[in-house]
PDB file of all heavy atoms in Angstrom:
ATOM      1  N   SER A 183     -21.534 -41.071  22.079  1.00  0.00           N
ATOM      2  CA  SER A 183     -20.190 -41.237  22.661  1.00  0.00           C
ATOM      3  C   SER A 183     -19.103 -40.971  21.626  1.00  0.00           C
ATOM      4  O   SER A 183     -18.048 -40.426  21.956  1.00  0.00           O
ATOM      5  CB  SER A 183     -20.037 -42.633  23.276  1.00  0.00           C
ATOM      6  OG  SER A 183     -20.159 -43.625  22.293  1.00  0.00           O
ATOM      7  N   GLU A 184     -19.363 -41.332  20.352  1.00  0.00           N
ATOM      8  CA  GLU A 184     -18.388 -41.010  19.295  1.00  0.00           C
ATOM      9  C   GLU A 184     -18.243 -39.502  19.147  1.00  0.00           C
ATOM     10  O   GLU A 184     -17.133 -38.984  18.980  1.00  0.00           O
ATOM     11  CB  GLU A 184     -18.836 -41.624  17.960  1.00  0.00           C
ATOM     12  CG  GLU A 184     -18.636 -43.129  17.871  1.00  0.00           C
ATOM     13  CD  GLU A 184     -19.161 -43.707  16.564  1.00  0.00           C
ATOM     14  OE1 GLU A 184     -19.718 -42.948  15.747  1.00  0.00           O
ATOM     15  OE2 GLU A 184     -19.012 -44.928  16.359  1.00  0.00           O
ATOM     16  N   GLY A 185     -19.370 -38.779  19.225  1.00  0.00           N
ATOM     17  CA  GLY A 185     -19.324 -37.316  19.171  1.00  0.00           C
ATOM     18  C   GLY A 185     -18.523 -36.735  20.325  1.00  0.00           C
ATOM     19  O   GLY A 185     -17.675 -35.855  20.132  1.00  0.00           O
ATOM     20  N   ASN A 186     -18.759 -37.260  21.543  1.00  0.00           N
ATOM     21  CA  ASN A 186     -18.016 -36.776  22.715  1.00  0.00           C
ATOM     22  C   ASN A 186     -16.512 -37.017  22.561  1.00  0.00           C
ATOM     23  O   ASN A 186     -15.690 -36.166  22.922  1.00  0.00           O
ATOM     24  CB  ASN A 186     -18.514 -37.478  23.979  1.00  0.00           C
ATOM     25  CG  ASN A 186     -19.945 -37.090  24.333  1.00  0.00           C
ATOM     26  OD1 ASN A 186     -20.492 -36.146  23.762  1.00  0.00           O
ATOM     27  ND2 ASN A 186     -20.550 -37.808  25.250  1.00  0.00           N
ATOM     28  N   ARG A 187     -16.168 -38.188  22.017  1.00  0.00           N
ATOM     29  CA  ARG A 187     -14.746 -38.518  21.828  1.00  0.00           C
ATOM     30  C   ARG A 187     -14.096 -37.544  20.828  1.00  0.00           C
ATOM     31  O   ARG A 187     -12.976 -37.076  21.034  1.00  0.00           O
ATOM     32  CB  ARG A 187     -14.627 -39.964  21.316  1.00  0.00           C
ATOM     33  CG  ARG A 187     -13.205 -40.457  21.090  1.00  0.00           C
ATOM     34  CD  ARG A 187     -13.195 -41.933  20.700  1.00  0.00           C
ATOM     35  NE  ARG A 187     -14.099 -42.216  19.595  1.00  0.00           N
ATOM     36  CZ  ARG A 187     -13.802 -41.986  18.313  1.00  0.00           C
ATOM     37  NH1 ARG A 187     -12.648 -41.455  17.989  1.00  0.00           N
ATOM     38  NH2 ARG A 187     -14.665 -42.300  17.373  1.00  0.00           N
ATOM     39  N   LEU A 188     -14.827 -37.211  19.771  1.00  0.00           N
ATOM     40  CA  LEU A 188     -14.300 -36.279  18.764  1.00  0.00           C
ATOM     41  C   LEU A 188     -14.169 -34.866  19.330  1.00  0.00           C
ATOM     42  O   LEU A 188     -13.249 -34.126  18.975  1.00  0.00           O
ATOM     43  CB  LEU A 188     -15.211 -36.284  17.529  1.00  0.00           C
ATOM     44  CG  LEU A 188     -15.128 -37.559  16.687  1.00  0.00           C
ATOM     45  CD1 LEU A 188     -16.345 -37.696  15.781  1.00  0.00           C
ATOM     46  CD2 LEU A 188     -13.845 -37.571  15.851  1.00  0.00           C
ATOM     47  N   VAL A 189     -15.087 -34.473  20.227  1.00  0.00           N
ATOM     48  CA  VAL A 189     -14.995 -33.153  20.881  1.00  0.00           C
ATOM     49  C   VAL A 189     -13.704 -33.067  21.698  1.00  0.00           C
ATOM     50  O   VAL A 189     -12.998 -32.048  21.658  1.00  0.00           O
ATOM     51  CB  VAL A 189     -16.229 -32.890  21.774  1.00  0.00           C
ATOM     52  CG1 VAL A 189     -15.980 -31.715  22.716  1.00  0.00           C
ATOM     53  CG2 VAL A 189     -17.453 -32.597  20.911  1.00  0.00           C
ATOM     54  N   LEU A 190     -13.382 -34.128  22.425  1.00  0.00           N
ATOM     55  CA  LEU A 190     -12.150 -34.142  23.222  1.00  0.00           C
ATOM     56  C   LEU A 190     -10.920 -33.969  22.347  1.00  0.00           C
ATOM     57  O   LEU A 190      -9.909 -33.412  22.783  1.00  0.00           O
ATOM     58  CB  LEU A 190     -12.049 -35.453  24.016  1.00  0.00           C
ATOM     59  CG  LEU A 190     -13.068 -35.616  25.162  1.00  0.00           C
ATOM     60  CD1 LEU A 190     -12.981 -37.010  25.763  1.00  0.00           C
ATOM     61  CD2 LEU A 190     -12.838 -34.552  26.243  1.00  0.00           C
ATOM     62  N   ARG A 191     -11.019 -34.429  21.113  1.00  0.00           N
ATOM     63  CA  ARG A 191      -9.901 -34.264  20.155  1.00  0.00           C
ATOM     64  C   ARG A 191     -10.031 -32.952  19.370  1.00  0.00           C
ATOM     65  O   ARG A 191      -9.272 -32.700  18.447  1.00  0.00           O
ATOM     66  CB  ARG A 191      -9.876 -35.452  19.188  1.00  0.00           C
ATOM     67  CG  ARG A 191      -9.399 -36.718  19.883  1.00  0.00           C
ATOM     68  CD  ARG A 191      -9.750 -37.994  19.151  1.00  0.00           C
ATOM     69  NE  ARG A 191      -9.457 -37.964  17.728  1.00  0.00           N
ATOM     70  CZ  ARG A 191      -9.694 -38.984  16.894  1.00  0.00           C
ATOM     71  NH1 ARG A 191     -10.243 -40.094  17.359  1.00  0.00           N
ATOM     72  NH2 ARG A 191      -9.407 -38.896  15.621  1.00  0.00           N
ATOM     73  N   ARG A 192     -11.043 -32.129  19.745  1.00  0.00           N
ATOM     74  CA  ARG A 192     -11.299 -30.827  19.106  1.00  0.00           C
ATOM     75  C   ARG A 192     -11.605 -30.967  17.615  1.00  0.00           C
ATOM     76  O   ARG A 192     -11.338 -30.074  16.825  1.00  0.00           O
ATOM     77  CB  ARG A 192     -10.149 -29.831  19.359  1.00  0.00           C
ATOM     78  CG  ARG A 192      -9.887 -29.604  20.846  1.00  0.00           C
ATOM     79  CD  ARG A 192      -8.977 -28.420  21.090  1.00  0.00           C
ATOM     80  NE  ARG A 192      -9.561 -27.144  20.665  1.00  0.00           N
ATOM     81  CZ  ARG A 192     -10.484 -26.476  21.327  1.00  0.00           C
ATOM     82  NH1 ARG A 192     -10.982 -26.955  22.453  1.00  0.00           N
ATOM     83  NH2 ARG A 192     -10.947 -25.324  20.860  1.00  0.00           N
TER      84      ARG A 192
END
Side-chain angles (χ1 to χ4, degrees):
S183 63
E184 285 177 358
N186 293 349
R187 181 175 51 80
L188 288 161
V189 165
L190 291 173
R191 288 162 47 180
R192 303 192 64 77

